[in-house]
Amino acid sequence: MEKRFNVGHEGDEIYKNIVQIDSHLKWYQNKGIRRLNLLILAIFIGQALNGYDGSLISSFQSYKSWVATVGHPSSSALGLINASVYISGFVTAPFAAFISDRFGRKWCIRYSALTNLIGTAIGCAAGAGKSHGYSMFIISRVIIGSGIAFAVMISPIMLQELPHPKQRTALAGFFDCAYNIGSFIAAWVCFGCSHIASNWSWRIPYLIHIGPALFMLIFIQFLPESPRWLMMHGKEEKCREFLVKYHANGHEDDPMVEFELNEIKEALLFEKNVKQDSWKNIFFKKGNRHRMGLVFLIGACQNLSGTGIIQYYYTKILNLVGITDSQTQTGINAGLTSWTWLCALLGLYLSQRIKRRQQLAISWIGTLLANIGLTIATARYEATGASAPGIAAVVMVWLYNGAFFIACGPLFFSYQVEVLTYTMRARGMMVWGLWVKSLSIFSAYTNPLAMERIGYKWYIFYTAIISLTGVLMYFFIVETKGYTLEEIAILFDGEPVQEALAHVTEGQTVYVDDEADSEKDHNVKETSKETV
């Protein structure tokens, strides 16, 4: 069923037609945007630290020193080490939403940095003296996990609300690419430290948490608060100051300032009038049900794709195909993270050039095919013991991760944020956080047990999940490429939002491409809601 609304140039956002005073400058020549992007680096460092941390345990499993320190854990005990991060995140997620909306987005990043510092100190002391290695490491993971939940929930919101409109999708899409950078660093650090025979082989990689955490704690002090948060809390003048300083390079009379200010103001007023932030409306209003359904769908795609096995139990996969040497395992893992990062960058490139639905389809079909290939190759190795299917399984793991991160890198941490309105954004991300932490606890605890008891047959469970989520994507994903955050609301709520924003673009200075259609001489154009 198709609905038609006037929301701009079919994927060509209205703001692109606004001639700014410094439109001729590249972003790195624009002092305001350059300074803002430098400060936003604190958010990316946080996600890189998340990726770094998330890759350590997989490598540590191949270290005899670490295994001895934590008491040679069984599959169940190992699952608890990984699940403890998500359990603590599940408990703290609601507090992140409250603090973010009440006191500001930045406090969540501060908390994440502090927990990394404290958790690292406790984790590195695990097994020292008469301390109980396993218990102290669990405590470390719980503390770090609570901070990760704060950062992962709120950082995507900040990356939608802070950047200049022309850079919003690119910076939001880079968020999980930063995760891959952290994984890349962790893999190579662990590969280098695998040559150390003592406990420093794992303590050195764990200590490296401290540097990025300190960077976050310092830089977040200078990062400005979200202009939408400022407007929502009655600080319109500060919101204007932000837009002038960072989005208009200090020019008070830049037309982009009035455009953004009015669009934010009208959208928030509309949301307040319809009580968009009430839990009743969040789950029972038609447009919001669709939004929340997408939040659950994206969360399932992130955490039930089977890539969690690769992230946390890669050594077990390699053991299944006869690769058991510690240095070989860490070396292959280092190569895998390099490949995954390149695929995430490819995904970021594609996100700026093709539609969301197309990119998701490419990624998910590739993920499904790689999953099937991995299952077949591992089954053949178990049946024959031949080297060829073992090598094929390793190749399929690389293709599996690569295909997944073409979508996960740029979309799985940004899409659900941009479809949520401001007043439901923190609460929606809280629901997302609780959902993904639940799924992560399930995966972290069941994956090692299933891998131990049924081996490669466990991959078939993920084959079914990938197939199901692929079908749901086809029917329910809404195309959002080419719209501002406020305009995206029209795709879900229709005419009421359209009418609320209708006068925002009146009187704006625009340019028109001489070779464009005559239809593009207007600021608005009919476009369709792409829900198939």
Side-chain angles (χ1 to χ4, degrees):
M1 184 176 184
E2 186 180 88
K3 290 185 179 180
R4 300 181 70 81
F5 305 115
N6 298 315
V7 280
H9 301 309
E10 279 184 0
D12 200 12
E13 294 171 318
I14 294 173
Y15 71 79
K16 291 182 179 178
N17 294 327
I18 297 174
V19 179
Q20 291 193 252
I21 294 173
D22 288 332
S23 287
H24 61 287
L25 298 178
K26 301 289 186 182
W27 74 265
Y28 50 83
Q29 297 172 322
N30 186 308
K31 182 180 178 181
I33 296 177
R34 186 175 67 243
R35 178 177 173 81
L36 178 61
N37 289 353
L38 177 63
L39 295 174
I40 286 175
L41 190 60
I43 299 174
F44 292 123
I45 292 295
Q47 182 65 347
L49 183 56
N50 181 18
Y52 179 86
D53 178 81
S55 299
L56 291 180
I57 306 303
S58 179
S59 294
F60 284 180
Q61 291 173 52
S62 63
Y63 290 176
K64 293 180 180 179
S65 58
W66 180 81
V67 172
T69 296
V70 295
H72 299 277
S74 64
S75 294
S76 177
L78 183 60
L80 183 58
I81 288 177
N82 287 320
S84 60
V85 173
Y86 304 118
I87 293 171
S88 64
F90 182 89
V91 173
T92 57
F95 297 99
F98 172 77
I99 291 171
S100 171
D101 274 347
R102 183 70 179 272
F103 302 106
R105 314 302 198 198
K106 300 199 300 179
W107 280 105
C108 295
I109 308 300
R110 291 188 181 102
Y111 177 76
S112 178
L114 286 171
T115 55
N116 265 284
L117 292 172
I118 297 169
T120 298
I122 294 173
C124 286
K130 296 181 179 181
S131 64
H132 191 279
Y134 182 81
S135 298
M136 288 192 67
F137 206 79
I138 286 285
I139 293 171
S140 167
R141 305 307 295 155
V142 167
I143 294 172
I144 290 175
S146 69
I148 287 175
F150 270 60
V152 171
M153 276 181 54
I154 304 306
S155 293
I157 295 177
M158 297 177 74
L159 289 175
Q160 294 288 346
E161 296 177 354
L162 286 170
H164 189 284
K166 291 182 180 179
Q167 296 190 323
R168 177 180 66 82
T169 57
L171 290 177
F174 188 74
F175 180 65
D176 206 46
C177 295
Y179 182 97
N180 295 113
I181 294 174
S183 297
F184 172 85
I185 294 171
W188 285 105
V189 168
C190 288
F191 175 66
C193 290
S194 67
H195 297 83
I196 301 173
S198 69
N199 279 327
W200 287 106
S201 63
W202 64 268
R203 282 188 175 135
I204 289 174
Y206 214 64
L207 278 169
I208 290 176
H209 279 90
I210 293 174
L214 285 174
F215 182 96
M216 290 168 60
L217 201 57
I218 294 170
F219 261 59
I220 200 63
Q221 300 300 116
F222 304 100
L223 182 68
E225 191 52 78
S226 159
R228 289 167 177 82
W229 186 90
L230 293 170
M231 180 70 78
M232 190 65 180
H233 287 76
K235 301 179 181 181
E236 182 175 340
E237 191 54 39
K238 287 189 176 293
C239 176
R240 175 187 284 276
E241 289 174 6
F242 171 94
L243 297 174
V244 169
K245 182 176 182 178
Y246 295 106
H247 288 191
N249 202 21
H251 299 293
E252 291 271 358
D253 56 345
D254 194 296
M256 181 65 81
V257 174
E258 287 305 315
F259 172 79
E260 286 194 89
L261 192 70
N262 289 333
E263 192 174 51
I264 293 170
K265 187 188 301 183
E266 295 299 329
L268 293 180
L269 180 62
F270 171 80
E271 293 175 28
K272 182 178 180 181
N273 289 339
V274 299
K275 298 180 179 178
Q276 187 82 300
D277 62 338
S278 71
W279 284 110
K280 179 180 178 181
N281 282 336
I282 286 176
F283 283 103
F284 293 102
K285 189 178 177 182
K286 184 179 178 181
N288 289 344
R289 284 201 308 271
H290 193 169
R291 290 182 174 99
M292 295 308 297
L294 293 175
V295 167
F296 282 107
L297 176 57
I298 294 298
C301 292
Q302 285 174 300
N303 291 273
L304 292 179
S305 63
T307 53
I309 301 176
I310 300 172
Q311 181 180 3
Y312 290 107
Y313 306 105
Y314 190 43
T315 54
K316 289 186 178 294
I317 295 175
L318 295 179
N319 288 337
L320 282 176
V321 295
I323 300 174
T324 57
D325 178 67
S326 173
Q327 292 180 11
T328 303
Q329 288 182 343
T330 54
I332 292 175
N333 189 39
L336 174 64
T337 57
S338 306
W339 161 252
T340 301
W341 180 48
L342 291 175
C343 290
L345 290 178
L346 172 61
L348 180 61
Y349 173 84
L350 292 175
S351 72
Q352 304 304 299
R353 286 158 180 80
I354 66 176
K355 294 185 176 182
R356 307 282 191 261
R357 290 172 58 85
Q358 294 172 342
Q359 186 166 351
L360 287 168
I362 291 170
S363 174
W364 224 237
I365 291 171
T367 301
L368 177 61
L369 293 176
N371 169 276
I372 294 171
L374 176 60
T375 305
I376 294 172
T378 308
R380 291 303 303 156
Y381 177 82
E382 279 199 5
T384 65
S387 61
I391 295 172
V394 174
V395 172
M396 286 299 164
V397 165
W398 284 47
L399 294 177
Y400 200 154
N401 237 28
F404 174 76
F405 273 95
I406 286 176
C408 182
L411 298 181
F412 283 176
F413 284 90
S414 62
Y415 181 81
Q416 71 273 36
V417 183
E418 66 181 12
V419 302
L420 295 169
T421 62
Y422 173 84
T423 49
M424 64 183 296
R425 199 164 286 148
R427 293 190 183 190
M429 287 302 286
M430 180 192 76
V431 173
W432 170 82
L434 293 173
W435 172 236
V436 299
K437 296 304 177 185
S438 300
L439 296 178
S440 296
I441 292 168
F442 165 80
S443 298
Y445 196 74
T446 59
N447 281 341
L449 292 175
M451 293 288 287
E452 182 179 50
R453 295 175 184 177
I454 60 175
Y456 75 88
K457 297 181 182 69
W458 182 235
Y459 303 151
I460 299 172
F461 166 77
Y462 290 109
T463 308
I465 296 295
I466 295 168
S467 301
L468 175 61
T469 50
V471 172
L472 293 175
M473 280 186 193
Y474 179 80
F475 283 106
F476 294 107
I477 289 290
V478 173
E479 184 56 62
T480 59
K481 181 175 172 57
Y483 302 109
T484 64
L485 290 178
E486 284 68 34
E487 290 167 348
I488 288 172
I490 301 175
L491 302 176
F492 293 87
D493 298 321
E495 286 89 346
V497 182
Q498 180 189 356
E499 292 171 4
L501 298 178
H503 70 280
V504 172
T505 57
E506 291 178 4
Q508 294 298 330
T509 305
V510 302
Y511 70 81
V512 179
D513 187 345
D514 292 336
E515 298 180 1
D517 254 349
S518 60
E519 288 182 310
K520 291 187 178 179
D521 289 342
H522 303 286
N523 275 353
V524 295
K525 180 180 179 182
E526 283 197 329
T527 188
S528 61
K529 175 179 178 181
E530 293 197 34
T531 305
V532 182

